[in-house]
Amino acid sequence: MQTKMTLHGAGVYYFAVTGAKDQPIFNSVFEYEYGLRILSRVTGTRLLAYVLDERQMQFVLRCQRDWTEVMDDIQAAFDSMHERCWHKRRQVLSDQGVVLLVDERVALTELILQLHHSPVHKGKVADASLWPWSSDRYYREPTPPAWLDTESMLNLLVNGRRNRAQHYIDVMKAPFSPKLDLSHGSHPMYQALARDQWVDQHLKKEALTQSAYSRTDVQRLFDDACQLVARQFNLTSAELCDKHNRRRFHHLMPLVIWLLRERGVHLDAMTKLVDEDEVRLQLWLRNLPADHTRNIRDKLARLWSPSAPGLAAIAAAGTVAEEPEAEPESGSESADNSAADPAAADNSAGPDNLNAVETEAASVTPH
């Protein structure tokens, strides 16, 4: 069977992710709470549904940016979580997984119902309501938590706003058999649970988004970003872009790529500028928090301007010296570190405080 093409851009996505090298994702009860907190706080997303077990995570996110960036943030956050919990570094999530773009009107309701029924079909519990690491429990509540978007699916499931939780419970009680192919989707050409017409509209919209910057615009943004980074390290733009000094180039150029991503420039548009492929650029972005302190990232973000006039002010701002950054204690987070670990964002719309998670972990066990 020919491999289907993957869609990109903003939208609702279904993700199925396993552990790296066939290892478990979760090794303890409190890690489930960490994991849920990560998924509920990824920058630029809203969590619609999830089912977690020891070796797999299935979840649905509404993404305001491309899913590749979202997954990079999730993978980095899980790696950070594991290191904080066990004081060991390892890749937690596999690079291989399933990503399906979802046509809400025709597939979202069936997708979430099938997702919530999956622990029953896997023989883990007798009823979906008994699996503790599933969003099913919140769909049954009249007032679900703010960090979970139940409205999108319930608005499609129920006509009207009264007794929606009870209607959901009644639907879940009815006999159910999986109808969706959650490995390949329903579209003949693309990894999507969608109609042909809807996919065509999505492709047109994404093409318009990608063409928002002309080649000239991208080149100007690149030149401005190079000038900004070079000034902060007492270099010229030519020295910064000199690939013969590979150590300096691979240390500082990721900052330039990061600044361009902050302006919505796609990685594909940057590959020719730095003569590197997208895989390398994604690796740069993923390792950026480890290679450059939060101090310098915050400084550059404040100074970053895509317009040339702003560079005059930058020149007068002086240089940035990288300072050592205190390592966060286990269980504590910093709101400014959300670029490296989305779970660390200071966002009240998420599961309970992590400090409480560790103290209560011993008393929380799956049914």
Side-chain angles (χ1 to χ4, degrees):
M1 179 179 175
Q2 186 177 6
T3 303
K4 294 183 180 181
M5 293 181 285
T6 304
L7 291 165
H8 292 273
V12 175
Y13 287 90
Y14 161 78
F15 298 85
V17 187
T18 58
K21 299 179 180 179
D22 295 325
Q23 297 183 63
I25 298 175
F26 304 106
N27 297 284
S28 60
V29 172
F30 65 84
E31 281 185 289
Y32 281 97
E33 295 289 355
Y34 273 107
L36 179 54
R37 188 171 185 262
I38 289 171
L39 294 180
S40 68
R41 298 188 176 193
V42 182
T43 302
T45 70
R46 282 281 284 158
L47 182 62
L48 275 68
Y50 65 90
V51 172
L52 314 180
D53 63 41
E54 181 184 11
R55 295 184 174 275
Q56 186 184 47
M57 297 194 305
Q58 299 178 82
F59 51 96
V60 182
L61 288 176
R62 184 183 302 280
C63 304
Q64 298 175 2
R65 53 199 177 117
D66 189 48
W67 66 265
T68 56
E69 302 168 32
V70 171
M71 273 309 304
D72 283 344
D73 284 353
I74 292 173
Q75 287 177 322
F78 269 83
D79 291 351
S80 177
M81 173 196 75
H82 182 82
E83 184 176 6
R84 291 197 306 270
C85 291
W86 305 108
H87 306 291
K88 294 180 181 179
R89 292 185 63 87
R90 79 168 178 91
Q91 182 178 344
V92 177
L93 303 180
S94 172
D95 293 325
Q96 305 298 319
V98 176
V99 181
L100 301 175
L101 185 62
V102 181
D103 180 350
E104 290 185 66
R105 287 192 175 275
V106 301
L108 183 61
T109 298
E110 185 69 21
L111 169 62
I112 293 180
L113 290 175
Q114 184 167 324
L115 196 61
H116 287 167
H117 275 290
S118 61
V120 178
H121 285 276
K122 291 179 180 179
K124 295 180 179 294
V125 287
D127 185 84
S129 63
L130 299 177
W131 187 249
W133 309 115
S134 166
S135 53
D136 170 81
R137 58 184 291 195
Y138 297 117
Y139 276 77
R140 298 170 184 266
E141 296 180 1
T143 307
W147 52 265
L148 183 69
D149 175 12
T150 62
E151 295 285 319
S152 296
M153 183 272 211
L154 292 178
N155 286 341
L156 296 170
L157 180 68
V158 184
N159 292 324
R161 302 189 62 83
R162 297 183 60 185
N163 300 322
R164 294 194 302 176
Q166 184 58 51
H167 186 82
Y168 170 82
I169 293 172
D170 294 339
V171 171
M172 289 295 290
K173 287 180 179 178
F176 185 87
S177 59
K179 299 176 182 178
L180 301 177
D181 181 351
L182 298 186
S183 296
H184 305 98
S186 59
H187 195 274
M189 293 181 60
Y190 294 96
Q191 287 280 105
L193 298 166
R195 301 160 290 175
D196 286 345
Q197 183 180 5
W198 187 89
V199 170
D200 291 342
Q201 291 175 348
H202 175 83
L203 291 171
K204 290 178 182 178
K205 181 179 179 181
E206 182 61 14
L208 289 174
T209 301
Q210 292 188 20
S211 63
Y213 286 117
S214 66
R215 291 185 178 180
T216 302
D217 291 334
V218 173
Q219 184 65 56
R220 178 177 61 82
L221 288 169
F222 177 74
D223 292 341
D224 286 354
C226 286
Q227 188 175 353
L228 169 59
V229 174
R231 284 181 182 275
Q232 304 315 304
F233 290 91
N234 288 321
L235 300 171
T236 65
S237 294
E239 290 173 329
L240 173 66
C241 297
D242 183 9
K243 296 194 69 172
H244 291 95
N245 190 329
R246 295 191 62 82
R247 182 175 181 180
R248 181 175 62 201
F249 180 85
H250 286 281
H251 181 61
L252 298 182
M253 190 54 66
L255 288 169
V256 174
I257 299 302
W258 170 64
L259 291 174
L260 293 182
R261 286 301 298 133
E262 290 294 300
R263 290 292 172 185
V265 179
H266 284 257
L267 293 180
D268 181 62
M270 306 182 209
T271 54
K272 293 182 180 179
L273 294 173
V274 295
D275 194 25
E276 300 283 356
D277 59 26
E278 284 193 46
V279 174
R280 170 67 69 175
L281 300 189
Q282 289 173 353
L283 184 63
W284 281 359
L285 293 175
R286 183 173 180 179
N287 292 337
L288 189 71
D291 294 337
H292 295 281
T293 65
R294 188 167 61 249
N295 289 339
I296 192 167
R297 299 197 309 271
D298 289 347
K299 178 75 172 185
L300 290 172
R302 288 193 298 269
L303 295 175
W304 170 230
S305 170
S307 57
L311 296 178
I314 292 170
T319 61
V320 175
E322 294 219 36
E323 299 177 1
E325 196 170 25
E327 292 293 329
E329 296 180 359
S330 176
S332 65
E333 303 293 338
S334 172
D336 293 333
N337 201 29
S338 57
D341 181 358
D346 185 14
N347 184 346
S348 60
D352 290 340
N353 184 292
L354 286 188
N355 293 328
V357 169
E358 293 192 23
T359 58
E360 297 178 3
S363 63
V364 181
T365 56
H367 293 286

